[in-house]
Amino acid sequence: DIFNLPDFRTLESYELPMDGAAVTVQVATKKKYRMYSYIMPMLSKNSIIDTKKMVDILHVIEDELGFKQLGNI
């Protein structure tokens, strides 16, 4: 899913917070490049499936690389 998640700007029901942290993903292979963002994905993880997928990806990265987020993104 990391290659197929949409940018938050394309999600009609995505509500932008007034202030908050963002996650920007850049992923590439030899033939494909993608960059997309989510602002405070934790806020809408229960209402938008793509946002939940982004949060799940963040948890996998934390587990695999052994670090924790500085804040609640």
Side-chain angles (χ1 to χ4, degrees):
D1 278 337
I2 198 163
F3 275 104
N4 300 316
L5 283 177
D7 186 79
F8 79 92
R9 293 171 195 92
T10 66
L11 301 172
E12 290 183 25
S13 58
Y14 200 91
E15 294 185 27
L16 291 175
M18 294 299 290
D19 189 20
V23 175
T24 299
V25 175
Q26 293 184 62
V27 60
T29 66
K30 289 182 179 184
K31 296 182 179 184
K32 186 175 182 179
Y33 171 80
R34 289 250 5 254
M35 182 173 141
Y36 54 92
S37 299
Y38 285 84
I39 298 175
M40 299 294 289
M42 292 294 284
L43 297 178
S44 58
K45 70 177 186 170
N46 294 325
S47 60
I48 303 172
I49 189 69
D50 291 321
T51 306
K52 171 145 180 24
K53 290 177 183 179
M54 182 73 253
V55 171
D56 291 345
I57 289 168
L58 290 172
H59 289 298
V60 169
I61 291 169
E62 287 177 348
D63 292 344
E64 290 297 317
L65 299 179
F67 75 92
K68 293 291 177 194
Q69 296 177 35
L70 295 176
N72 192 9
I73 298 177

